[in-house]
Amino acid sequence: MSLWYAQNRRRKPDTGKFRSQARPGTEKSSGGRHGGWSYHFVSHQAGTSVSRVTYSVSILDRSGNRAGYLRDFSSIERATGAAHAWIDQRTKRVTPAAAVPKTIGTVPTLPMADNAQQK
């Protein structure tokens, strides 16, 4: 019942009191596609006197849902390689199980009518 209420109640307009903001030093950048999956990068800059940039990659499945988040890479090339390896590993794990036809069992044969009447 609470689920129905949560989906059907009216929402108040946004007053702007609680505004979401990205962390300072965080930037999103474009990514790419691999095996039907997509990914995009996020760079994090830390430090003021000596700045250090780390990269993270967010992986989206074929439906557009976030499936993985890999972080703390020193370059975009390493993050791209890790994203490709993660997607390859995930698709290898999913594809063979879906490709194999499953047999549930056999249907037993019906008893003979003559044998059932004799007993």
Side-chain angles (χ1 to χ4, degrees):
M1 178 142 176
S2 62
L3 181 62
W4 180 84
Y5 178 74
Q7 291 177 349
N8 291 325
R9 66 185 169 109
R10 293 184 187 178
R11 301 202 183 269
K12 295 181 181 178
D14 186 19
T15 60
K17 184 175 181 181
F18 301 103
R19 215 169 272 207
S20 63
Q21 296 179 357
R23 285 175 47 192
T26 303
E27 293 182 15
K28 289 186 178 182
S29 61
S30 64
R33 295 185 65 80
H34 179 72
W37 296 53
S38 61
Y39 55 90
H40 61 274
F41 302 106
V42 178
S43 63
H44 307 276
Q45 183 176 359
T48 54
S49 60
V50 178
S51 66
R52 182 178 149 227
V53 179
T54 58
Y55 297 94
S56 302
V57 60
S58 181
I59 303 170
L60 307 173
D61 64 1
R62 291 180 174 102
S63 303
N65 301 320
R66 188 164 116 170
Y69 187 78
L70 309 173
R71 61 184 183 151
D72 293 335
F73 295 101
S74 59
S75 67
I76 288 183
E77 290 81 17
R78 288 182 184 232
T80 303
H84 287 196
W86 190 93
I87 291 169
D88 290 340
Q89 181 183 16
R90 179 60 61 114
T91 54
K92 284 180 187 175
R93 197 174 352 163
V94 172
T95 304
V100 175
K102 295 183 180 180
T103 56
I104 297 174
T106 59
V107 176
T109 59
L110 295 173
M112 298 290 289
D114 295 333
N115 291 340
Q117 289 177 358
Q118 291 176 1
K119 290 183 180 181

